[in-house]
Amino acid sequence: MPKLSYFDFPGSRGEECRLALHLAGVAFEDDRIKGPDWPARKEQTPYGVLPTFEVEGRGVLAQSNAILVYIGREHGLHPRDNWLAARHEELMHAAEDLRAAVVPVLRVQDPEERVKAREELASGFLKRWARAVERRLGELGPGPFISGETLHVADLKLYMVSRWFSSGNVDHVPSDVFAEFPRLSGIERAVAQHPKIVAWYAR
């Protein structure tokens, strides 16, 4: 049984990999690392970050996009056409660009500066990012997923970053910050309503 290791919360890079494995019907060890245990585990990872994915006899794979693409290729959740696969991977990297830009803003401690930084994030970077993603999604067809009727691992990636804000958990960033982008918002809804995703969260 393969082992996926990530922090013990239902979000971000580890959760999208959990969803991919569940969607593929793969039984896996869901290794959820508690905060106090992380320092001792960190040095055991290839790059000092999570998630990692371990397959017996093959070793450990790091970096969420690499893990997702591997799962997708193995289980029919990533396009077989190389050009279309690259377009999906482009969107996955764009999701990581978003995370890289957002995380420093979330770490601002001063109350006034925190509000200002998050409001500027919502009106500036997030809108520009979503506008670019929306344009690229439009080039790939009408949906409901990135490539029509089939859910791929890249859809899970976009779902996770979109849900990050629509959940309302990021103070001073409106939960409807992506509402004006129908393709991006539609992917979030379509993934959330997929029977296997519903089943995962019902557990």
Side-chain angles (χ1 to χ4, degrees):
M1 182 180 293
K3 178 169 74 172
L4 180 74
S5 299
Y6 194 66
F7 300 110
D8 188 20
F9 76 100
S12 196
R13 299 173 178 92
E15 185 74 357
E16 61 207 23
C17 294
R18 293 176 186 133
L19 291 176
L21 289 165
H22 178 71
L23 191 64
V26 175
F28 67 100
E29 180 184 347
D30 190 1
D31 176 28
R32 294 180 179 245
I33 299 171
K34 305 291 185 182
D37 298 329
W38 171 233
R41 295 282 300 271
K42 184 174 183 177
E43 295 303 317
Q44 301 172 21
T45 68
Y47 301 105
V49 296
L50 295 174
T52 60
F53 184 60
E54 184 174 358
V55 177
E56 186 175 358
R58 307 198 75 176
V60 176
L61 185 63
Q63 302 294 346
S64 61
N65 282 352
I67 295 168
L68 286 172
V69 169
Y70 171 77
I71 295 167
R73 287 175 174 162
E74 288 287 300
H75 301 284
L77 298 174
H78 196 56
R80 293 187 179 277
D81 176 84
N82 286 338
W83 180 257
L84 185 56
R87 292 294 301 268
H88 280 227
E89 289 159 30
E90 170 195 305
L91 290 164
M92 293 166 71
H93 290 303
E96 287 302 317
D97 289 343
L98 178 146
R99 285 173 170 151
V102 170
V103 169
V105 174
L106 300 186
R107 290 175 176 162
V108 175
Q109 295 298 312
D110 180 81
E112 290 186 7
E113 288 298 319
R114 181 171 63 244
V115 171
K116 180 182 177 182
R118 294 187 184 197
E119 289 178 346
E120 289 177 351
L121 175 73
S123 62
F125 174 81
L126 291 181
K127 295 293 187 182
R128 292 193 300 273
W129 180 88
R131 193 171 297 114
V133 168
E134 186 78 4
R135 183 172 60 252
R136 299 298 275 171
L137 289 170
E139 295 170 2
L140 291 168
F145 300 109
I146 293 171
S147 293
E149 299 293 328
T150 302
L151 197 165
H152 293 95
V153 291
D155 292 290
L156 299 175
K157 193 90 179 180
L158 292 183
Y159 164 73
M160 197 57 57
V161 295
S162 183
R163 193 186 75 163
W164 191 11
F165 300 102
S166 67
S167 66
N169 289 331
V170 183
D171 293 344
H172 311 295
V173 174
S175 60
D176 63 351
V177 67
F178 294 147
E180 66 191 86
F181 305 104
R183 283 288 278 117
L184 179 59
S185 299
I187 286 171
E188 182 187 352
R189 286 193 302 274
V191 172
Q193 294 168 5
H194 190 282
K196 287 193 175 181
I197 304 302
V198 172
W200 171 259
Y201 287 113
R203 290 167 56 169

